[in-house]
Amino acid sequence: MKTISTSKSHGGVQGVYSHASETCGCDMTFAVFVPPQAADGPCPVLWYLSGLTCTHQNVMDKGEYRRMAAELGLIVVCPDTSPRGEHVPDEKDDWQFGSGAGFYVDATEAPYAANYRMYSYVTRELPALVAANFPADMARQSIFGHSMGGQGALTIALKNPGRFRSCSAFAPIVQPSTADWSKKAFARYLGADQRAWRTYDTCALIEDGARFPELLVDQGEADGFLQDGLRPWLLEAACKDAGIPLTLRMQPGYDHSYFFISTFMDDHLRWHAARLAQ
């Protein structure tokens, strides 16, 4: 693991690191905030998954999470969204596919299967690296994310309910198998058989029997992607049918940006910290 930068913030340390990923077949970059409480022992880990077109840098610069994470004693890990590099297949003119649009799936179709393995990267390789190099209490983990990262957080939590104490999302893509934003990417990463898509689709996973103790979702009512890409009412219906407690907060006037995310970031951090403390 290579240290790219470290900066003191709110008594803790914000670092950016890179490593050669066997899972993704390229160098991967990620950010970790370690709170001041880590000087006294391991701290719980909160994973933040970013959205389409983003890297670790977006939430690090605009998410405004460090003050509250330092107060609550949370390690916050922010992976990249996709594999990157000259040899990694990409479509630079399409923001909904390729680098920046990994959708947290393990691709099975050529030529993407060699690199686009973000599900395994986030659930296996990167946690092992964090456990080995940071004062992390891996017995206490939670996960959240934004948009595509909200989709990733929800699906990962539903598929690994024993690992995460809590899960929340900002404006998640709740049914990517039918959303205009993601259908093309799912077809190219996972193939034409839509049964394979269901394992990375929050609503489909719930319909197929996956469960999680409770979920928190914030959604801006002025989000320009609400109708075509996000559609939180589908998640609301799926959770109601499955008996999963869902707190869905529709926020008047808020859009899809980090102005929205940063406004409610403290709420989510407190919500996760309460469950990580149990």
Side-chain angles (χ1 to χ4, degrees):
M1 189 180 76
K2 176 184 177 183
T3 300
I4 295 175
S5 66
T6 57
S7 299
K8 188 169 183 178
S9 179
H10 297 284
V13 177
Q14 176 66 69
V16 179
Y17 309 90
S18 67
H19 71 113
S21 168
E22 292 183 7
T23 303
C24 296
C26 64
D27 287 345
M28 294 292 289
T29 303
F30 63 99
V32 180
F33 175 73
V34 177
Q37 292 88 336
D40 299 321
C43 294
V45 179
L46 180 57
W47 296 84
Y48 178 87
L49 305 186
S50 294
L52 280 161
T53 75
C54 293
T55 70
H56 66 283
Q57 193 80 34
N58 299 76
V59 68
M60 196 175 74
D61 290 350
K62 298 182 284 188
E64 300 181 20
Y65 59 85
R66 279 176 290 270
R67 180 188 59 80
M68 185 55 64
E71 179 180 320
L72 297 170
L74 299 175
I75 289 176
V76 181
V77 182
C78 307
D80 200 349
T81 52
S82 310
R84 299 178 194 272
E86 291 184 1
H87 68 287
V88 175
D90 186 20
E91 290 192 7
K92 298 185 184 301
D93 296 330
D94 188 349
W95 63 277
Q96 293 175 321
F97 186 76
S99 292
F103 284 96
Y104 302 98
V105 307
D106 280 352
T108 56
E109 299 297 300
Y112 310 106
N115 305 106
Y116 286 82
R117 300 184 52 79
M118 289 302 295
Y119 176 81
S120 289
Y121 177 72
V122 169
T123 60
R124 298 175 190 169
E125 185 176 20
L126 189 55
L129 194 68
V130 169
N133 291 279
F134 298 92
D137 181 355
M138 302 303 283
R140 292 187 293 160
Q141 298 184 64
S142 292
I143 191 167
F144 69 149
H146 169 231
S147 192
M148 178 186 73
Q151 166 251 331
L154 290 167
T155 57
I156 288 171
L158 284 165
K159 293 165 77 168
N160 300 273
R163 178 183 296 190
F164 299 101
R165 300 280 186 93
S166 52
C167 176
S168 71
F170 300 101
I173 308 171
V174 304
Q175 197 178 83
S177 64
T178 64
D180 291 341
W181 271 24
S182 39
K183 285 188 296 184
K184 177 179 65 177
F186 271 41
R188 296 179 69 180
Y189 289 143
L190 302 172
D193 186 351
Q194 296 192 13
R195 289 175 295 182
W197 303 10
R198 297 182 69 83
T199 60
Y200 301 104
D201 183 302
T202 299
C203 290
L205 280 167
I206 293 172
E207 290 170 3
D208 292 344
R211 296 291 182 266
F212 201 77
E214 59 179 329
L215 300 170
L216 168 65
V217 171
D218 272 306
Q219 172 64 62
E221 289 186 353
D223 192 321
F225 306 112
L226 182 60
Q227 298 294 327
D228 294 334
L230 308 175
R231 305 174 295 168
W233 50 86
L234 299 177
L235 177 61
E236 189 172 37
C239 286
K240 182 179 179 180
D241 290 343
I244 299 175
L246 168 67
T247 301
L248 174 60
R249 307 194 306 183
M250 300 298 298
Q251 304 291 0
Y254 285 92
D255 58 18
H256 200 68
S257 71
Y258 269 91
F259 296 112
F260 158 62
I261 297 167
S262 62
T263 299
F264 300 102
M265 179 63 78
D266 283 2
D267 289 354
H268 284 244
L269 292 175
R270 290 192 190 98
W271 191 80
H272 287 292
R275 285 146 184 82
L276 287 164
Q278 293 174 1

